[in-house]
Amino acid sequence: MLNWIRKFDLKKAGIINIIICTINIIVHILVILGIIPFHWVNGGRTDSFDEACRIATSSIVVMIISILITFIASGIIPIKFNKFWGIFLSVILIAMLPFSFLGIIQQFLGTIFEKCFMSILAIIGFCTSTRIALEKRW
């Protein structure tokens, strides 16, 4: 199974993951700008526009951090890891995979917009994150 996952190019997985994070950032910016109704995101559970803006802003920050980690972990920005840091990065990335999987479940329990559009992004993001996390760095 691991060999099958590792057949997919690591840098391509990183680029796809960065594109997905960028699309997520764009969606959150559109919510902040009021172009997308805030009831369409967060499962429709946000009570006010201000609350939706706070959640969107924090999501944008998380996505930016995620993009930076993806640049490093996928080798787009080549950094030579010693054994300790390679194992450390791999453990962190593997530990984050369950949260990514929970994101897929949340999308399927959300609004129609989340079920039809954002769930596809979440699934593709999970697959590329799995590929990046399972790279041997030591």
Side-chain angles (χ1 to χ4, degrees):
M1 179 80 169
L2 285 177
N3 290 333
W4 181 79
I5 290 172
R6 287 187 178 143
K7 283 184 183 179
F8 191 72
D9 185 43
L10 181 64
K11 288 186 180 181
K12 286 181 186 174
I15 290 168
I16 292 169
N17 208 352
I18 290 168
I19 290 169
I20 288 171
C21 287
T22 305
I23 292 170
N24 281 327
I25 289 171
I26 291 168
V27 167
H28 288 295
I29 288 172
L30 292 175
V31 169
I32 291 171
L33 295 176
I35 296 170
I36 294 178
F38 69 91
H39 294 292
W40 284 13
V41 294
N42 303 324
R45 293 182 298 272
T46 48
D47 296 328
S48 67
F49 180 73
D50 292 335
E51 184 181 354
C53 285
R54 281 194 303 276
I55 293 171
T57 304
S58 64
S59 295
I60 289 170
V61 170
V62 169
M63 288 295 135
I64 290 171
I65 293 168
S66 196
I67 287 172
L68 295 174
I69 292 170
T70 300
F71 270 122
I72 294 168
S74 65
I76 295 171
I77 297 176
I79 294 178
K80 192 75 171 166
F81 293 104
N82 63 21
K83 189 172 185 173
F84 172 78
W85 289 110
I87 292 171
F88 179 77
L89 180 62
S90 294
V91 167
I92 294 297
L93 293 172
I94 291 170
M96 296 306 292
L97 285 177
F99 294 110
S100 185
F101 185 73
L102 286 174
I104 295 171
I105 294 170
Q106 284 180 332
Q107 298 306 318
F108 281 119
L109 296 175
T111 63
I112 296 295
F113 173 72
E114 291 172 328
K115 289 176 186 175
C116 294
F117 180 68
M118 299 305 286
S119 62
I120 296 168
L121 293 179
I123 291 169
I124 295 170
F126 177 75
C127 293
T128 57
S129 295
T130 302
R131 168 59 184 105
I132 293 167
L134 296 179
E135 176 66 17
K136 187 173 181 181
R137 294 178 177 82
W138 60 90

